[in-house]
Amino acid sequence: DNILMKTSTYSKSNRLSLALAVCAFLLMPLAVHGQDAAPTRIGFVNAERLFSEAEASKAAQNKLKQEFSGRERQLLTQANTLKKAIDQFEQDAPKMPEDQRNAKQQQLMAQDADFQRKRQEFQEDLNNRKNDELQRFIQKANRVIEQTAKQEKYDVIIQEAAYINNRIDITDKVLRTLNAEK
């Protein structure tokens, strides 16, 4: 009487038959249009390849690297200086008078807090700029995908699937068009 028990007792062939019936139902509108209707054209674009291979994406990554490399170097220098100061403090602390040790500890904690704040600001700024550049690239890529789909008379372009036959992969066409644009 339990629904879960009933559905789990379906045999594999019953589930396959049900799946085929659903597919037939979904494809029925294509058959109803008759013999004269053009077959549905489906294309695929590998988004990961677009991000890794498109010149516009590479240029955006280089732009971000140049824009943020100076701040990143400053943070690394500050981190190294702070680490050396902490190591030196840990070595000298047992020999220091208590008031001097407390003052130095407070100074190091303030330096660490400043470093953590700058590091967080850097990460937020970097993430915001990455998102800006990514959105620009996505808009450009989507425009090129749509343009390619219209020119090639595709009905659907998908970007994710468990399996894709290379015959419908238009990633190279989209990359060529993206890379040709400046």
Side-chain angles (χ1 to χ4, degrees), residues 67-130:
E67 188 176 326
F68 286 91
S69 64
R71 279 177 66 187
E72 185 176 33
R73 277 192 306 274
Q74 288 175 342
L75 281 173
L76 287 173
T77 300
Q78 186 177 1
N80 289 333
T81 302
L82 183 59
K83 183 181 179 335
K84 287 177 186 175
I86 291 171
D87 290 345
Q88 186 66 48
F89 172 73
E90 288 175 352
Q91 196 175 43
D92 296 344
K95 300 176 245 169
M96 298 172 95
E98 186 176 346
D99 60 333
Q100 188 182 6
R101 184 174 57 242
N102 289 339
K104 185 66 174 174
Q105 189 174 19
Q106 291 297 320
Q107 177 191 10
L108 290 172
M109 287 173 42
Q111 288 176 346
D112 183 56
D114 180 57
F115 170 72
Q116 297 301 333
R117 180 187 53 77
K118 286 180 181 177
R119 187 175 60 92
Q120 183 175 358
E121 287 173 358
F122 170 81
Q123 198 60 49
E124 287 173 2
D125 290 347
L126 179 60
N127 288 340
N128 287 337
R129 286 290 292 121
K130 277 183 179 180

Side-chain angles (χ1 to χ4, degrees), residues 7 35 42 50-51 55-56 68-70 85 89 125 130 136 139 153 155 162 169 173-174:
T7 58
Q35 301 289 336
I42 297 173
L50 292 182
F51 290 126
E55 294 301 323
F68 286 91
S69 64
F89 172 73
D125 290 347
K130 277 183 179 180
R136 278 191 201 95
Q139 288 173 349
K153 298 188 182 349
D155 298 303
D169 190 342
K173 290 178 188 176
V174 173

Side-chain angles (χ1 to χ4, degrees), residues 41-49 154 156-172:
R41 287 201 64 203
I42 297 173
F44 169 76
V45 173
N46 184 328
E48 287 181 30
R49 279 192 56 210
Y154 282 95
V156 176
I157 303 292
I158 56 176
Q159 291 183 349
E160 289 186 37
Y163 170 78
I164 295 296
N165 185 317
N166 287 337
R167 179 178 53 80
I168 67 168
D169 190 342
I170 64 167
T171 305
D172 289 333

Side-chain angles (χ1 to χ4, degrees), residues 29-42:
L30 298 175
V32 169
H33 287 98
Q35 301 289 336
D36 298 338
T40 301
R41 287 201 64 203
I42 297 173

Side-chain angles (χ1 to χ4, degrees), residues 13-26:
S13 63
N14 285 345
R15 280 185 263 159
L16 180 60
S17 296
L18 179 62
L20 290 173
V22 168
C23 287
F25 175 75
L26 292 174

